[in-house]
């Protein structure tokens, strides 16, 4: 019965993790998957997470089902983290449902738009996270791309972006990377976001804000600017957030879907539709990851620990960008690497071609995505020299 199933190629990101694990070179370097690594190359459990887990262990607890939309205190805290003080405004009505990671939340948003609002098309940046087109294709939407980068593929070409949005039709959806664009690290400025918000409203598009890197750009609050600005100006939006990166809770699968409107009845209806979609997909979310985030966000002491750990991560990545650019500039003075300093978050579109990435992997055991995306957090003082020598050799 199963013999007609065609063999699917390995995932373009997770497939590389398998290859990296099998590589026996003791000097191998992993710049592929978007997972934070510290100076020793480890992906540690954050201190605030360990403190919260201890608290949960000490409490009596239960493993009974969560509600379909997850824990109320988690959802309230997540809504507040995303919207800040806007959450207090009487004319801002938001509902959040806890989801198993950001990926599920993105898929839920697609299911919701197609099933409830008959949306048939979603626009996303070219390039975007490799899983985005697959998620929305699987949700039954046509995927179209808007332009994002300049000819060199390292900086935003805002005019090109705006021009390509002229092809959108009312009632289509648009996917936006709120901060730390994946895979490029290239974000619009606040003024450009203002313009984008107006265009989205004028063209009557359903926006989905993918918010996987809150706290990795400038700060927890500043990173939420595009969403808050859009809501403040009267817009309705779906927000898909993840705690994989900013809590280091990758394997716990914890995130949320938030629908913001300006009418309490609309919000109630949206939550009812989100719950219906969840019930038919996975019934209700897992407990542990959400309980950790809930415990941290709702405890002032743990929250302070979290915020300072997150600041440390953000500063370290910025520092790594500086070190990396200096080291490359010394090796190849005629090439300008400054664009890497303008990019934000874990990723950089390095400008490496697919052939150069292949050579790095085959000849030096250095793993990056074939698009040229590198994970800056995979660099450390122990591998920097070898990495830069190898890059200089292949470019
Ligand atoms: C990435 O882009 O590397 C991460 O978001 C991990 C993933 O799921 O692809």
């Amino acid at each position: 019965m199963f013999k007609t199933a065609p063999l699917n190629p390995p995932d373009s990101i997770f497939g590389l993790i398998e290859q990296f694990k099998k590589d026996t070179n003791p000097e191998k370097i992993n710049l592929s998957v978007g997972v934070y690594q510290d100076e020793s190359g480890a992906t540690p459990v954050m201190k605030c997470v360990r403190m919260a887990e201890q608290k949960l262990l000490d409490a009596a607890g239960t493993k009974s089902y969560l509600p379909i939309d997850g824990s109320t205190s988690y959802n309230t805290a997540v809504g507040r983290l995303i919207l800040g003080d806007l959450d207090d405004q009487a004319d801002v009505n938001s509902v959040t449902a806890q989801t198993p990671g950001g990926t599920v939340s993105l898929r839920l948003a697609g299911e919701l738009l197609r099933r409830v609002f008959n949306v048939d098309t979603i626009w996303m940046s070219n390039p975007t996270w490799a899983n985005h087109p697959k998620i929305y294709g699987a949700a039954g939407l046509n995927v179209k791309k808007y332009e994002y980068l300049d000819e060199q593929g390292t900086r935003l070409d805002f005019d090109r972006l705006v021009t390509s949005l002229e092809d959108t039709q009312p009632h289509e959806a648009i996917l936006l990377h709120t901060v730390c664009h994946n895979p490029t690290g290239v974000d619009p400025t606040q003024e450009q976001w203002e313009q984008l918000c107006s265009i989205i409203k004028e063209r009557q598009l359903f926006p989905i804000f993918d918010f996987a890197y809150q706290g990795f750009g400038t700060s927890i609050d500043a990173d939420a600017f595009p969403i808050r600005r859009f809501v403040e100006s009267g817009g309705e939006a779906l927000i898909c957030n993840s705690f994989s990166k900013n809590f280091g809770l990758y394997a716990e699968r914890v995130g949320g879907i938030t629908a913001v409107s300006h009418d309490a009845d609309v919000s109630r209806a949206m939550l009812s539709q989100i719950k219906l979609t969840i019930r038919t997909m996975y019934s209700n979310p897992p407990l542990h990851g959400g309980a950790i985030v809930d415990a941290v966000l709702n405890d002032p002491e743990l929250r302070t620990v979290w915020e300072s750990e997150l600041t440390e991560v953000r500063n370290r990545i910025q520092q790594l960008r500086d070190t990396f650019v200096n080291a490359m500039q010394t090796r190849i003075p005629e090439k300008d690497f400054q664009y890497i300093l303008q990019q934000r978050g874990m990723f950089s579109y390095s400008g490496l071609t697919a052939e150069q990435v292949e050579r790095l992997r085959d000849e030096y055991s250095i793993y990056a995505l074939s698009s040229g995306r590198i994970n800056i957090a995979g660099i450390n003082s122990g591998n920097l020299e070898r990495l830069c020598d190898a890059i200089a050799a292949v470019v």
Side-chain angles (χ1 to χ4, degrees):
M1 273 161 53
F2 298 145
K3 75 179 175 204
T4 53
L7 185 66
N8 196 45
D11 183 79
S12 60
I13 300 176
F14 272 65
L16 283 174
I17 310 179
E18 298 306 314
Q19 275 192 47
F20 179 79
K21 279 188 189 147
K22 284 190 201 139
D23 192 325
T24 52
N25 184 343
E27 297 203 298
K28 62 187 177 178
I29 301 174
N30 186 6
L31 307 182
S32 62
V33 69
V35 169
Y36 179 75
Q37 298 167 47
D38 65 13
E39 180 57 24
S40 71
T43 301
V45 177
M46 288 171 90
K47 192 166 161 229
C48 65
V49 168
R50 278 188 276 120
M51 289 166 80
E53 284 185 316
Q54 191 57 56
K55 240 178 116 173
L56 294 173
L57 205 60
D58 294 342
T62 172
K63 299 284 185 191
S64 180
Y65 290 125
L66 282 177
I68 294 173
D69 53 341
S71 135
T72 308
S73 63
Y74 170 92
N75 291 335
T76 307
V78 172
R80 174 128 214 126
L81 190 67
I82 295 170
L83 294 172
D85 292 343
L86 274 182
D87 209 25
D88 296 332
Q89 289 190 13
D91 63 336
V92 173
N93 300 92
S94 78
V95 285
T96 299
Q98 179 181 339
T99 61
T103 302
V104 170
S105 140
L106 290 163
R107 174 71 186 264
L108 271 173
E111 295 290 332
L112 210 63
L113 291 182
R114 185 185 43 74
R115 186 177 60 74
V116 183
F117 301 102
N118 288 319
V119 172
D120 61 7
T121 299
I122 185 163
W123 289 78
M124 52 189 74
S125 60
N126 177 26
T128 192
W129 179 44
N131 211 19
H132 275 151
K134 294 183 187 166
I135 290 171
Y136 289 102
L141 298 178
N142 300 315
V143 171
K144 291 190 178 168
K145 301 272 177 79
Y146 54 85
E147 294 306 328
Y148 199 68
L149 295 177
D150 61 10
E151 294 297 339
Q152 290 71 43
T154 49
R155 293 181 203 264
L156 183 68
D157 187 335
F158 192 66
D159 291 341
R160 242 173 123 203
L161 193 171
V162 169
T163 306
S164 61
L165 291 183
E166 284 169 10
D167 291 334
T168 57
Q169 298 299 319
H171 217 74
E172 293 179 334
I174 180 164
L175 180 64
L176 303 146
H177 298 236
T178 311
V179 73
C180 304
H181 184 273
N182 180 3
T184 65
V186 175
D187 288 335
T189 61
Q190 293 202 344
E191 293 69 38
Q192 289 168 336
W193 273 116
E194 301 263 5
Q195 279 190 57
L196 277 177
C197 289
S198 309
I199 294 171
I200 290 165
K201 276 196 274 161
E202 270 160 35
R203 302 199 69 85
Q204 298 170 48
L205 305 174
F206 285 90
I208 300 176
F209 287 91
D210 185 347
F211 203 10
Y213 292 92
Q214 186 170 13
F216 272 73
T218 306
S219 71
I220 291 170
D221 283 318
D223 291 355
F225 174 84
I227 296 167
R228 294 183 189 173
R229 189 66 209 102
F230 189 70
V231 169
E232 237 166 22
S233 66
E236 294 180 323
L238 286 171
I239 299 125
C240 301
N241 82 296
S242 162
F243 293 111
S244 293
K245 326 280 171 163
N246 55 11
F247 270 82
L249 286 173
Y250 308 90
E252 296 295 354
R253 311 309 299 142
V254 49
I257 181 165
T258 298
V260 190
S261 76
H262 299 273
D263 181 311
D265 290 336
V266 170
S267 278
R268 250 191 307 280
M270 283 301 283
L271 183 60
S272 74
Q273 291 298 341
I274 291 171
K275 284 165 78 170
L276 175 62
T277 316
I278 291 174
R279 183 71 173 134
T280 56
M281 284 174 73
Y282 57 88
S283 193
N284 46 70
L287 177 74
H288 189 66
I292 294 169
V293 172
D294 192 352
V296 173
L297 292 182
N298 285 306
D299 178 319
E301 190 199 333
L302 293 189
R303 191 175 169 127
T304 307
V305 176
W306 173 58
E307 289 186 8
S308 80
E309 288 184 281
L310 189 52
T311 305
E312 214 174 282
V313 164
R314 181 174 62 243
N315 291 344
R316 177 167 172 270
I317 296 177
Q318 193 51 48
Q319 183 62 48
L320 283 169
R321 282 187 187 273
D322 291 346
T323 318
F324 177 62
V325 167
N326 285 338
M328 286 313 305
Q329 211 66 79
T330 326
R331 283 166 177 82
I332 316 178
E334 66 278 14
K335 190 168 154 50
D336 182 9
F337 289 96
Q338 294 304 308
Y339 58 85
I340 294 180
L341 298 179
Q342 257 96 66
Q343 300 167 346
R344 298 195 298 172
M346 206 136 39
F347 303 123
S348 170
Y349 232 35
S350 62
L352 289 166
T353 64
E355 294 71 37
Q356 290 163 347
V357 168
E358 199 177 311
R359 279 192 62 197
L360 283 175
R361 192 176 58 238
D362 296 348
E363 297 172 28
Y364 300 91
S365 296
I366 294 171
Y367 290 75
L369 300 198
S370 59
S371 61
R373 186 191 88 174
I374 57 171
N375 177 5
I376 296 283
I379 304 175
N380 57 54
S381 52
N383 65 22
L384 178 80
E385 298 299 321
R386 192 174 107 74
L387 171 68
C388 295
D389 287 344
I391 295 178
V394 301
V395 295

